[in-house]
């Protein structure tokens, strides 16, 4: 069954009430201020500590925790080991710094946010072996063509 377990994270991870509106969720994050850091590994470890089984984790972040990649990756590895399956990790770098805390199989990194990013996640989980594979599947229009629609995946 599909379920969402939203957390706000900074100095530590705090569970948020589930809200069915994305805008209400953003407002909940704004009101859950709990420090200034970017403790991504704390958010992942909270799932381990709370004994929550998930298929995917979606993190919206400024990715300023890049100096702690090994710690965050270890938290993801610990969660996967405890659950006994490879959890998808989708990370959106909303600030566009280009840093990362996770690597390996079933990990996607995107900078910025749009509906195309959501399409990418669906493609990643259903058939793109890598982000490079997704890019290689994009078919550009012939030279001189006026683009009036989004590019399509082949």
């Amino acid at each position: 069954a599909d379920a969402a377990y939203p957390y706000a994270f900074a100095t530590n991870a705090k569970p948020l009430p589930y809200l069915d509106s994305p805008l209400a969720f953003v407002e909940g994050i704004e009101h859950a201020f709990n420090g200034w850091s970017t403790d991504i590994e704390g958010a992942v470890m909270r799932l381990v500590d709370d004994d929550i089984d998930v298929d995917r984790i979606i993190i919206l972040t400024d990715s300023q925790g890049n100096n702690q990649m090994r710690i965050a990756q270890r938290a993801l590895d610990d969660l996967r080991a405890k659950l006994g399956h490879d959890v998808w990790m989708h990370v959106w770098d909303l600030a566009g710094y280009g840093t990362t805390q996770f690597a390996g199989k079933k990990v996607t990194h995107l900078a910025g946010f749009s509906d195309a990013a959501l399409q990418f996640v669906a493609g990643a989980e259903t058939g793109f072996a890598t982000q490079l594979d997704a890019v290689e599947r994009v078919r550009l229009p012939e030279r001189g063509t006026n683009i009036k629609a989004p590019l399509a995946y082949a």
Side-chain angles (χ1 to χ4, degrees):
D2 289 336
Y5 301 94
Y7 289 86
F9 64 93
T11 302
N12 55 43
K14 287 183 175 181
L16 296 173
Y18 177 77
L19 304 166
D20 61 359
S21 161
L23 294 178
F25 179 68
V26 169
E27 186 175 303
I29 291 172
E30 290 176 350
H31 296 298
F33 176 78
N34 61 342
W36 296 101
S37 67
T38 305
D39 184 15
I40 290 178
E41 68 276 359
V44 176
M45 286 308 299
R46 186 68 190 253
L47 294 172
V48 173
D49 295 343
D50 291 350
D51 201 28
I52 296 174
D53 190 351
V54 295
D55 296 320
R56 78 186 47 82
I57 300 170
I58 300 173
I59 293 181
L60 307 176
T61 179
D62 62 6
S63 290
Q64 289 187 354
N66 64 312
N67 62 339
Q68 299 176 353
M69 180 177 176
R70 285 182 291 233
I71 297 169
Q73 183 65 48
R74 187 172 38 239
L76 178 59
D77 293 342
D78 289 350
L79 176 66
R80 287 173 168 169
K82 181 176 182 176
L83 298 178
H85 62 89
D86 283 336
V87 173
W88 274 97
M89 173 62 75
H90 303 289
V91 181
W92 269 278
D93 177 359
L94 298 177
Y97 291 128
T99 58
T100 185
Q101 292 79 30
F102 303 98
K105 189 171 96 173
K106 291 195 171 184
V107 173
T108 62
H109 297 274
L110 298 164
F113 193 81
S114 72
D115 61 334
L118 297 174
Q119 292 172 5
F120 182 87
V121 167
E125 291 192 13
T126 60
F128 298 150
T130 65
Q131 291 180 17
L132 179 59
D133 183 39
V135 172
E136 288 175 344
R137 288 181 182 212
V138 172
R139 297 295 169 243
L140 299 176
E142 290 186 32
R143 185 178 186 91
T145 303
N146 187 5
I147 300 174
K148 295 181 182 176
L151 299 175
Y153 295 110

